[in-house]
Amino acid sequence: MDFEAVEMAARGLALAIMGRALAGRLNADRSDAAGARLPCPCGARARHAGRRPKTFTTALGEMRLQRAWYHCGACGKGFAPRDRALGLDGGSLSPAALRMTGLAAARASFAEGSALLRELAGLGIDPKSVERHAEALGREVADDERRVVEAEPNHARTLYLGVDGTGVPVRKSETEGRKGKRPDGSARTREAKLAVVWSAESLDSQGAPTRDPDSATHNAAIETAACRDADAEPPPFARRVLREARRRGFESAERQAVLGDGAAWIWNLADEHFPRAIQIVDVFHAKEHLFETAKAIHGPGSDLAQAWGRRRRRELDEGRLDDLIAALAAHAPTCEAARRDVGYFSRNRQRMRYPEFRAAGLRIGSGVVEGACKNVVGTRLKRGGMHWSVDGANAIIALRCAVLSNRFDDFWERRADSGNSAASQS
Ligand SMILES: [Zn+2]
């Protein structure tokens, strides 16, 4: 017996039977024809115009529903009250089918997502439709994230807030007029900025603090971080960081650490909003600076560059910032990168007291922030042949942040609540 074939056929049959039963029940219930006239969204009154069929893709397969139809003479549009009541007013996908589509597209490419939905759930949704539905859902998730900031319980003594950026390959039209890193000065990417909050109360086998499993939440978007006007409210990404911190109870944690790449705006934000937080330059970024400068001074790939870089990184690890800055200063007259680094390491030296931080049991090097950038953005958005619109990228990033931060369930609860209340009001 080909049991796999039997299982699949039986599942298909079971879904079809249940789907037909549910559709039959809904179609027999005609209570959605609530009077001869109903208010239209345009403000006029719509007239009952019989029942109309529409086919929806649901978790039970294709379902043909007959719904009371109201037509508005004033705006020429029509609507079915039941669609709104059941959460079917967004298009041709039922809420459960939309949820599956969003989850698939958060995890895999649109084409892979479409194939998974067919294989695992028996849903026929082509890649283009997966993209359209997932991006619409992602925009809803992003909007929900901006509106709802609910405090989540925190039991950790120390909370970490890390901020970083990573490039997302975008369509040409999204980089017009922007300076890039390519030889002709054009840009191929836009920077997605990411905030991650986590705790690290557990210790690894060497006794060093290590990230607690499932403690990291992510929040990211391609948006502005720089402040252009001193009087204006914080720029969009700064507000995103503050929302994420508030959600996690960062301000009320006994000990707080902010990890950044050295960009001034994050320290300004920390000074203003988290005055108790210990500011730490992510050691990964500090070392990256030294790698680049070693190449600039001694030539890429040379033994001299390697040895010079190794010595500087050791000085950094051991907290010998005076020696490090002096070594950089020696090359400052002839090397632009060294000159810039003198400024970078001098400006941030209080944030690079790594031996002191380590002794206090703090995490200084964030595999966590690095990893979050790769996990949230890289593995989904930076794959071969991908060219995003900023809007589409932000929708999928929002979806992915919700899924990876274990907030997707909460979003759906709120979505169902708001849909039901909207339906009961009408
Ligand atoms: Zn109307």
Side-chain angles (χ1 to χ4, degrees):
M1 179 167 91
D2 182 352
F3 190 55
E4 182 269 337
V6 173
E7 281 178 280
M8 293 304 274
R11 187 182 68 159
L13 194 59
L15 286 175
I17 290 168
M18 293 312 293
R20 222 169 295 143
L22 183 57
R25 237 185 70 192
L26 285 167
N27 288 336
D29 175 1
R30 296 182 165 225
S31 63
D32 58 333
R37 287 174 181 274
L38 279 181
C40 174
C42 79
R45 292 182 76 74
R47 176 201 289 276
H48 183 217
R51 299 190 79 73
R52 273 206 190 179
K54 183 174 171 181
T55 301
F56 295 94
T57 300
T58 79
L60 300 169
E62 304 272 286
M63 200 179 280
R64 193 166 172 78
L65 297 181
Q66 303 282 346
R67 314 103 73 228
W69 187 255
Y70 285 78
H71 182 261
C72 171
C75 68
K77 289 178 184 156
F79 59 92
R82 174 161 291 164
D83 290 1
R84 201 186 305 164
L86 297 181
L88 295 168
D89 50 342
S92 57
L93 293 190
S94 73
L98 180 60
R99 181 180 172 135
M100 291 180 191
T101 303
L103 192 57
R107 293 284 188 183
S109 75
F110 301 124
E112 289 165 337
S114 171
L116 281 172
L117 289 166
R118 183 176 299 281
E119 177 74 20
L120 298 176
L123 299 184
I125 307 171
D126 63 73
K128 210 64 211 158
S129 303
V130 170
E131 175 174 358
R132 193 162 43 82
H133 287 290
E135 291 190 356
L137 183 67
R139 282 191 289 274
E140 263 189 63
V141 170
D143 186 51
D144 175 75
E145 186 278 320
R146 271 189 293 271
R147 279 185 297 106
V148 185
V149 181
E150 283 172 3
E152 297 166 5
N154 168 47
H155 306 292
R157 189 182 155 237
T158 307
L159 277 182
Y160 297 82
L161 167 67
V163 167
D164 202 357
T166 184
V168 173
V170 291
R171 294 178 194 157
K172 221 171 166 191
S173 56
E174 300 283 16
T175 58
E176 255 155 41
R178 290 175 168 268
K179 263 216 182 112
K181 291 176 186 160
R182 294 208 299 177
D184 64 354
S186 69
R188 205 175 49 85
T189 62
R190 293 281 297 270
E191 188 182 46
K193 294 187 182 67
L194 171 133
V196 50
V197 178
W198 76 98
S199 62
E201 309 284 283
S202 357
L203 299 178
D204 66 14
S205 55
Q206 267 100 54
T210 185
R211 180 175 63 85
D212 299 324
D214 291 329
S215 74
T217 56
H218 313 89
N219 205 331
I222 301 172
E223 63 191 359
T224 316
C227 210
R228 293 204 182 84
D229 182 346
D231 301 298
E233 58 175 353
F237 184 67
R239 274 179 274 154
R240 183 175 300 277
V241 173
L242 294 175
R243 287 196 300 273
E244 194 54 35
R246 204 163 312 137
R247 246 177 225 119
R248 295 299 306 272
F250 183 76
E251 290 131 301
S252 49
E254 193 181 321
R255 189 167 67 162
Q256 309 144 10
V258 173
L259 278 90
D261 61 0
W265 71 269
I266 181 68
W267 311 129
N268 294 338
L269 191 82
D271 283 339
E272 186 177 346
H273 296 276
F274 318 120
R276 286 198 298 123
I278 302 157
Q279 300 180 2
I280 303 175
V281 169
D282 194 326
V283 75
F284 172 87
H285 284 285
K287 289 188 176 173
E288 205 171 42
H289 270 260
L290 294 174
F291 270 115
E292 292 305 316
T293 304
K295 280 194 282 183
I297 294 171
H298 292 293
S302 73
D303 291 347
L304 219 52
Q306 285 211 357
W308 186 90
R310 226 183 350 258
R311 273 200 301 278
R312 301 294 87 78
R313 291 196 295 281
R314 196 178 315 125
E315 286 162 355
L316 187 67
D317 279 330
E318 294 171 359
R320 290 156 48 211
L321 268 293
D322 284 333
D323 295 342
L324 171 61
I325 292 165
L328 285 163
H331 293 279
T334 51
C335 174
E336 170 66 17
R339 198 185 57 74
R340 270 202 311 266
D341 269 1
V342 170
Y344 174 78
F345 285 94
S346 304
R347 224 173 20 249
N348 286 302
R349 60 182 302 161
Q350 285 303 308
R351 306 184 180 103
M352 296 180 178
R353 292 170 289 147
Y354 298 124
E356 202 180 310
F357 297 147
R358 263 195 302 267
L362 286 163
R363 285 237 6 170
I364 53 161
S366 56
V368 177
V369 185
E370 253 296 278
C373 278
K374 283 211 182 82
N375 189 22
V376 173
V377 180
T379 52
R380 175 65 184 88
L381 287 100
K382 292 163 90 157
R383 292 170 52 180
M386 286 186 173
H387 302 285
W388 295 86
S389 68
V390 167
D391 188 50
N394 276 343
I396 298 304
I397 290 171
L399 206 51
R400 211 168 150 73
C401 284
V403 170
L404 295 174
S405 306
N406 291 317
R407 290 177 177 152
F408 203 45
D409 286 347
D410 298 341
F411 164 76
W412 281 97
E413 268 174 39
R414 283 194 291 275
R415 191 177 193 270
D417 284 348
S418 67
N420 290 343
S421 63
S424 62
Q425 275 160 20
S426 67

